């Protein structure tokens, strides 16, 4: 009998090898003649071209091409690693069934009592799905059934959301992708004098691939309970790509009248306080875009008290909706700006409709034309705080002729006309204003090279590019002669380089006559990176307006000077670890700096970073700041931020932070915040923040 079995065993092993299967073990491989199985014991190993199995004992049926592994089983291929008590592997269909399995497929880990795995489909019973490396703090979900497609998409029923072994939420069903958490948590705990001990919690749970629902749940020992829903929708498939996020919070404020109204000169803050914020962006196919922001606050300080990070980002609650259609060479748009907050004055636009033709060549000539027309219904207050309503049409038509003398010189004479019609003004008649513009744009381009090398600063040759620019604009007449026309769209305080082209001016109601030159000089120094790319070493731009006609500056209530402020933009990038940026406005008459904003950044990869900045606006502010961050090791880093006000000669804010990790999944920040001369916030605040880290 033995003489018969040995040739059969050799034949089975030879047939397996011919099929690309290698079966080996520490002990001799046995053959069971009853079922024609090969039995391997003692560190049994089966290897194919695409997978391998290792177990204490393994049976292989060459007839059915099924391997059954028992005891300390390890299965691996290029997509998954499975540790199991027992496992059956059908080599013909690539089907795996097992019990008491741990499945590892980056970035998830699944513990399952039963497993059925195919190439495109996986089913898990009584399982726990971990996001990242399992530990006592790893977010996970436990469910009766998981269906996993391509290890990228999960559908589950009877889901319990957990942190480690602690459950905190339940959903009857849920769908999500494995590259991100099915839920999101952000926690902020601390103590502040006007709030007491507080807990701030923002959370989301994913319902399906496109929608997440959640809420805000805060507790303040001195103020009460804040709560409200949250919703996030994101679709990335055609025909529509949509991102929408909405948050609502309500609190019955238990703070005293004095605490609620500290530092407020406007109407008193009531006990019922709320905020609603929505942000929406949509793209429909290739032509339609829509943006909608809604900010509705019960009072101007509600986010400052209960969501200070939001208030730092947006202190003026603006609401608007804009949708546009982009054609071949034109854009149609509709814009709405409602007024939702009585404490904030804004010009209401319900609606503003606009049609614009982008610059286009006129026939077979070299003349390019640009035109637009818009209609708006406006409501708002003028400078005297009188409320008005006005309907008006506003249109522009302009043409320019670009002429290029050579590669280094170009000139473009231009002319345009802007017509604004105010409907039903004095005596119920329309008022029409016509403004003409004439101008010239010229630019030159020069460059030179210097064969300079410096290995320390990684400089391999220097290229200097210089571009002089001269612009001229002449607007002979622009004033509104009808004194009954309400002036709602007027100039606002702005320290940036002013707009000089008539077509782009937004202050429609107080456009002034203009006769001026703008002279500019753009400089850049570049060096080679050693390949085909270049990096900037220096950028230096200088602009100066020369006014041949001087108007009255309505913001300063004074006549303009012939020479405007000189605008200076300077950026230095001498090395990858050092950069410097500066924006300045200087009065050329007395060489006085009216404004300067400068920053210096130094870094060593992600090990440490130091930032120094200064902002000075003459007669308004003079502030300096220092920000520092340093990594101590893989888990810990420290940070500090200091803000100094030179006008009051005090540090207005000092922040000291320690950052760490909790397990593999959580970012932790502890910080101490000390303020000086804060009108509403406490002088001292301690907070502890806990956020889910990306995995």
């Amino acid at each position: 009998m033995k003489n018969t079995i040995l040739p059969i065993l050799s034949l089975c092993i030879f047939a397996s090898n011919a099929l690309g299967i290698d079966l080996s073990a520490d002990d001799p491989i046995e053959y069971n003649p009853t079922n024609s199985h090969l039995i391997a014991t003692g560190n049994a190993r089966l290897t194919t071209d695409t997978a391998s199995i290792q177990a204490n004992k393994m049976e292989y049926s060459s007839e059915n091409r099924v391997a059954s592994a028992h005891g300390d089983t390890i299965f691996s291929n290029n997509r998954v690693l499975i540790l199991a008590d027992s496992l059956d592997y059908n080599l013909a269909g690539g089907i795996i069934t097992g019990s008491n399995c741990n499945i590892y497929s980056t970035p998830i880990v699944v513990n399952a009592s039963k497993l059925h795995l195919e190439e495109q489909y996986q089913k898990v019973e009584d399982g726990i799905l971990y996001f990242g490396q399992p530990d006592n703090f790893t977010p996970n979900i436990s469910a009766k059934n998981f269906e996993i497609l391509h290890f990228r998409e999960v559908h589950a029923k009877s889901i319990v959301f957990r942190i480690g072994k602690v459950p905190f939420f339940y959903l009857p069903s849920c769908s999500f992708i494995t590259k991100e958490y099915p839920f999101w948590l952000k926690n902020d705990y601390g103590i502040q004098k006007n709030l007491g001990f507080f807990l701030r919690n923002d959370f989301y749970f994913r319902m399906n691939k496109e929608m997440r629902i959640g809420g805000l749940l805060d507790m303040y020992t001195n103020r009460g309970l804040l709560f409200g829903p949250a919703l996030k929708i994101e679709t990335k498939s055609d025909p529509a790509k949509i991102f929408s996020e909405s948050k609502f919070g309500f609190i019955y404020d238990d703070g005293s009248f004095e605490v609620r109204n500290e530092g407020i000169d406007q109407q008193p803050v009531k006990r019922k306080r709320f905020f609603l914020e929505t942000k929406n962006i949509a793209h429909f196919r290739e032509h339609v875009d829509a943006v909608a922001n809604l900010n509705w606050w019960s009072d101007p300080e509600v986010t400052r008290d209960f969501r200070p990070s939001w208030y730092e980002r947006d202190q003026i609650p603006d609401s608007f909706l804009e949708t546009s259609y982009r054609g071949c060479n034109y854009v149609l748009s509709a814009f709405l700006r409602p007024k939702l907050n009585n404490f904030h004055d804004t010009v209401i636009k319900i609606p503003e409709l606009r049609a614009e033709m982008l610059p286009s060549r006129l026939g077979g000539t070299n003349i390019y034309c640009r035109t637009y027309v818009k209609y708006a219904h406006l409501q708002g207050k003028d400078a005297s705080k009188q409320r008005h309503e006005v309907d008006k049409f506003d249109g522009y038509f302009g043409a320019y002729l670009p002429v290029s003398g050579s590669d280094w010189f170009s000139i473009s004479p231009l002319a345009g006309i802007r017509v604004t019609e105010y409907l039903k003004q004095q005596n119920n008649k329309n008022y029409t204003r016509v403004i003409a513009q004439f101008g010239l744009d010229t630019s030159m381009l020069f460059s030179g090279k210097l064969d300079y090398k410096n290995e320390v600063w990684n400089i391999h040759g220097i290229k200097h590019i210089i571009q002089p620019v001269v612009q001229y604009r002449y607007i002979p007449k622009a004033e509104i002669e009808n004194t009954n026309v309400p002036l709602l769209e007027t100039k606002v305080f702005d320290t940036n380089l002013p707009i000089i082209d008539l077509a782009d001016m937004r202050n429609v109601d107080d456009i002034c006559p203009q006769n001026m030159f703008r002279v500019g000089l753009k400089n850049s120094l570049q060096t080679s990176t050693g390949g085909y790319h270049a990096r900037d070493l220096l950028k230096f731009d200088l602009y100066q307006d020369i006014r041949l006609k001087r108007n009255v500056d309505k913001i300063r209530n004074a006549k303009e000077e012939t020479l405007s402020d000189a605008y200076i933009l300077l950026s230095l990038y001498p090395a990858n670890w050092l950069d410097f940026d500066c924006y300045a406005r200087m009065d050329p008459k007395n060489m006085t700096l009216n404004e300067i904003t400068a920053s210096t950044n130094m870094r060593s990869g992600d090990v440490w970073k130091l930032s120094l900045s200064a902002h000075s606006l003459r007669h308004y502010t003079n502030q300096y700041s220092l920000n520092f961050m340093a990594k101590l090791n893989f888990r810990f880093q420290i940070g500090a931020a200091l803000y100094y006000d030179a006008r009051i000669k005090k540090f207005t804010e000092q922040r000291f932070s320690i950052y760490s990790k909790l397990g593999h999944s959580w970012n932790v920040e502890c910080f101490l915040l000390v303020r000086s001369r804060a009108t509403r916030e406490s002088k001292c605040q301690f907070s502890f923040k806990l956020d889910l880290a990306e995995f």
Side-chain angles (χ1 to χ4, degrees):
M1 184 69 179
K2 286 184 180 180
N3 294 333
T4 308
I5 291 176
L6 187 59
I8 295 175
L9 175 61
S10 302
L11 185 62
C12 289
I13 294 177
F14 175 78
S16 299
N17 291 335
L19 292 172
I21 299 168
D22 181 19
L23 179 65
S24 62
D26 292 345
D27 299 334
I29 297 175
E30 299 178 3
Y31 174 72
N32 188 338
T34 15
N35 52 19
S36 303
H37 283 190
L38 296 176
I39 303 172
T41 57
N43 195 21
R45 295 176 298 278
L46 184 144
T47 305
T48 70
D49 295 336
T50 58
S52 67
I53 309 176
Q54 182 176 336
N56 293 337
K57 180 181 178 182
M58 192 177 306
E59 292 187 27
Y60 176 70
S61 169
S62 56
E63 181 181 352
N64 300 323
R65 298 193 66 195
V66 174
S68 298
H70 305 277
D72 298 330
T73 304
I74 302 174
F75 172 89
S76 65
N77 60 19
N78 59 351
R79 297 184 61 190
V80 66
L81 170 67
I82 301 174
L83 308 182
D85 287 348
S86 61
L87 183 146
D88 292 337
Y89 179 37
N90 186 322
L91 279 72
I95 299 173
I96 300 173
T97 57
S99 61
N100 297 328
C101 304
N102 290 337
I103 305 109
Y104 299 83
S105 179
T106 307
I108 61 171
V109 177
V110 182
N111 293 345
S113 60
K114 290 184 179 180
L115 168 69
H116 178 86
L117 186 149
E118 300 178 14
E119 184 177 354
Q120 310 293 340
Y121 171 82
Q122 301 84 41
K123 184 176 180 180
V124 171
E125 295 183 10
D126 295 326
I128 301 173
L129 190 150
Y130 292 89
F131 298 89
Q133 184 66 31
D135 59 35
N136 292 330
F137 306 101
T138 300
N140 63 86
I141 57 176
S142 110
K144 288 290 183 183
N145 293 289
F146 287 107
E147 292 183 359
I148 308 174
L149 305 179
H150 308 284
F151 284 104
R152 293 195 298 267
E153 186 177 329
V154 179
H155 304 275
K157 294 182 179 180
S158 300
I159 303 169
V160 177
F161 294 87
R162 312 191 312 171
I163 303 296
K165 296 182 179 180
V166 181
F168 64 91
F169 198 74
Y170 170 83
L171 281 177
S173 63
C174 178
S175 298
F176 55 91
I177 54 178
T178 58
K179 67 179 182 180
E180 61 180 34
Y181 295 110
F183 57 89
W184 177 84
L185 300 173
K186 184 177 181 181
N187 313 103
D188 187 3
Y189 316 103
I191 181 171
Q192 192 172 323
K193 183 179 178 181
N194 60 338
L195 302 177
F197 289 96
F198 64 84
L199 282 79
R200 293 192 185 105
N201 300 283
D202 295 15
F203 56 89
Y204 283 105
F205 297 94
R206 185 173 286 281
M207 300 299 295
N208 51 48
K209 290 189 296 182
E210 299 176 345
M211 184 174 68
R212 284 180 279 183
I213 62 171
L216 285 65
L217 184 60
D218 301 0
M219 187 193 72
Y220 304 89
T221 56
N222 292 353
R223 309 300 281 272
L225 185 70
L226 183 147
F227 59 92
L231 175 67
K232 187 178 287 189
I233 298 173
E234 187 171 6
T235 66
K236 297 182 179 180
S237 57
D238 291 331
K241 297 180 180 179
I242 300 171
F243 173 82
S244 175
E245 184 176 16
S246 302
K247 295 180 180 180
F248 176 79
F250 173 84
I251 184 171
Y252 186 84
D253 197 340
D254 291 331
S256 64
F257 181 87
E258 291 76 14
V259 170
R260 284 184 281 117
N261 293 275
E262 185 178 2
I264 293 180
D265 298 328
Q266 303 180 30
Q267 54 188 338
V269 175
K270 299 179 181 179
R271 288 194 180 276
K272 293 181 180 180
R273 308 178 68 185
F274 64 86
F275 54 82
L276 170 64
E277 294 198 354
T278 72
K279 293 178 173 59
N280 308 275
I281 302 173
H283 304 282
F284 301 96
R285 297 193 184 275
E286 297 180 355
H287 299 288
V288 180
D289 299 321
V291 178
N293 277 12
L294 179 67
N295 292 278
W296 186 20
W297 299 358
S298 60
D299 58 82
E301 310 296 338
V302 62
T303 57
R304 184 176 181 178
D305 288 344
F306 304 112
R307 282 295 184 276
S309 60
W310 297 12
Y311 184 77
E312 290 177 6
R313 184 180 67 246
D314 189 4
Q315 300 181 11
I316 300 177
D318 187 23
S319 299
F320 65 89
L321 166 65
E322 183 174 16
T323 181
S324 61
Y325 177 84
R326 290 175 283 107
C328 179
N329 201 37
Y330 63 90
V331 178
L332 306 176
S333 64
F335 181 85
L336 298 175
R337 173 171 276 128
K339 182 179 179 180
L340 302 180
N341 306 290
N342 294 327
F343 54 83
H344 172 53
D345 285 332
T346 187
V347 176
I348 301 172
K349 296 185 178 183
I350 308 178
E352 181 182 271
L353 306 176
R354 180 182 175 112
E356 179 174 5
M357 185 183 75
L358 303 177
S360 306
R361 178 176 286 187
L362 184 62
T365 68
N366 289 328
I367 299 175
Y368 288 80
C369 297
R370 175 193 175 188
T371 184
Y372 64 76
V373 61
K374 62 181 179 179
Y375 162 79
H377 174 80
L378 307 179
Q379 301 175 26
K381 294 180 180 180
D382 60 14
S384 61
K385 302 300 181 183
Q386 296 294 317
R387 181 166 291 278
H388 299 276
E389 284 192 42
V390 62
D391 294 86
K392 65 182 178 184
F393 285 95
D394 185 32
Y396 175 84
F397 176 82
Y400 63 95
L401 176 63
V403 179
S404 179
S406 61
D407 293 338
W408 61 272
F409 177 77
S410 67
I411 183 170
S412 296
L414 59 89
I417 186 169
R418 186 165 184 173
V419 180
T420 307
E421 179 148 356
Y422 299 84
L423 306 182
K424 296 182 180 181
Q425 296 304 306
Q426 189 178 22
N427 300 325
N428 205 29
K429 293 182 180 180
N430 298 349
Y431 172 74
T432 304
R433 181 193 61 180
V434 180
I435 306 175
Q437 170 184 257
F438 306 94
L440 192 70
D441 290 342
T442 63
S443 66
M444 291 169 279
L445 182 65
F446 306 98
S447 65
K449 294 183 179 180
L450 178 64
D451 188 16
Y452 172 78
K453 293 185 178 181
N454 190 312
E455 296 296 335
V456 175
W457 295 96
N458 194 25
I459 296 175
H460 305 279
I462 294 177
K463 182 179 182 180
H464 182 200
I465 302 173
I466 182 170
Q467 185 177 0
V469 176
V470 178
Q471 293 178 286
Y472 173 71
R473 292 295 185 275
Y474 176 56
I475 300 175
K477 190 177 180 181
E479 297 93 341
I480 295 177
E481 296 176 351
N482 189 336
T483 57
N484 294 306
V485 173
L487 308 182
L488 300 181
E489 294 184 296
T490 57
K491 190 176 182 180
V492 297
F493 180 75
D494 188 8
T495 62
N496 293 310
L497 191 66
I499 295 171
I500 65 170
D501 195 82
L502 178 63
D504 300 321
M505 292 181 181
R506 299 291 295 176
N507 55 316
V508 182
D509 297 335
D510 66 351
I511 296 175
C512 296
Q514 197 166 270
N515 189 5
M516 62 175 289
F517 284 94
R518 172 168 291 172
V519 181
L521 189 65
K522 298 181 180 180
N523 287 272
S524 67
L525 293 180
Q526 297 178 340
T527 187
S528 172
T529 58
Y532 293 100
H533 301 285
R535 71 178 178 93
D536 290 320
L537 294 173
L538 176 144
K539 286 186 177 181
F540 176 68
D541 299 343
L542 176 66
Y543 296 94
Q544 175 76 64
D545 289 348
I546 304 170
R547 305 185 181 106
L548 305 181
K549 178 177 177 56
R550 297 162 61 193
N551 297 307
V552 175
D553 188 339
K554 296 180 181 179
I555 301 294
R556 298 187 297 113
N557 197 24
K559 199 165 187 178
E560 296 174 331
E561 298 290 341
T562 301
L563 294 179
S564 73
D565 286 346
Y567 292 82
I568 303 167
L569 294 90
L570 174 64
S571 299
L572 292 171
Y573 312 100
N576 293 329
W577 56 270
L578 176 65
D579 60 71
F580 172 80
D581 290 288
C582 177
Y583 167 75
R585 286 188 303 116
M586 186 179 67
D587 186 346
K589 187 175 180 180
N590 50 26
M591 304 303 289
T592 303
L593 272 177
N594 289 329
E595 180 183 10
I596 183 168
T597 299
S599 64
T600 302
N601 299 297
M602 293 173 282
R603 67 189 70 82
S604 176
D606 62 348
V607 178
W608 63 266
K609 181 179 180 180
L610 176 65
S611 298
L612 304 169
S613 63
H615 177 64
S616 177
L617 184 60
R618 194 179 179 199
H619 305 309
Y620 288 94
T621 184
N622 189 12
Q623 296 183 338
Y624 302 86
S625 66
L626 178 148
N627 284 270
F628 175 74
M629 181 279 295
K631 268 189 177 181
L632 303 180
N633 51 40
F634 172 72
R635 287 195 173 272
F636 289 94
Q637 70 180 48
I638 57 174
L642 306 176
Y643 300 89
Y644 181 77
D645 193 322
R647 300 185 73 194
I648 62 175
K649 298 180 180 179
K650 283 189 175 182
F651 285 98
T652 55
E653 188 172 299
Q654 303 172 67
R655 180 180 178 126
F656 306 96
S657 307
I658 298 177
Y659 303 87
S660 183
K661 283 188 174 293
L662 185 63
H664 295 88
S665 308
W666 297 89
N667 292 326
V668 180
E669 178 189 4
C670 299
F671 70 85
L672 176 66
L673 187 60
V674 181
R675 302 183 181 94
S676 177
R677 292 207 178 184
T679 56
R680 192 169 181 87
E681 294 83 1
S682 299
K683 292 183 178 180
C684 187
Q685 174 187 339
F686 175 77
S687 285
F688 173 86
K689 291 186 177 182
L690 192 64
D691 299 333
L692 270 175
E694 294 183 1
F695 71 99

